[in-house]
Amino acid sequence: MELERIRPLVLRGTFHAYELAALVAAARFVVETAPADVPQEALDQLTHLLADYDRQLRELAAP
């Protein structure tokens, strides 16, 4: 994995497929099984991130 700072609040990440898959799987696990003390805002952000990931993945798979 490599991270590069593009601007103060913008990073670019380069991942092997298995590294990204592990991060996405962990995010899905948290969204599905988070204890009550995890802030709803954090779960909402993860849910949005996963939806964006799924959309981007479908676009990559499209001919």
Side-chain angles (χ1 to χ4, degrees):
M1 173 177 70
E2 286 184 35
L3 293 177
E4 175 185 359
R5 186 171 303 282
I6 304 299
R7 293 190 300 271
L9 297 177
V10 177
L11 301 175
R12 176 182 295 146
T14 303
F15 303 88
H16 287 278
Y18 67 88
E19 293 170 325
L20 184 56
L23 289 172
V24 170
R28 289 189 199 284
F29 178 76
V30 169
V31 167
E32 294 171 4
T33 64
D37 62 341
V38 174
Q40 186 60 46
E41 182 179 346
L43 293 175
D44 292 344
Q45 289 175 343
L46 273 178
T47 300
H48 182 72
L49 181 137
L50 290 168
D52 285 349
Y53 171 81
D54 290 340
R55 179 182 50 79
Q56 292 274 331
L57 199 57
R58 282 191 303 275
E59 289 177 10
L60 282 176

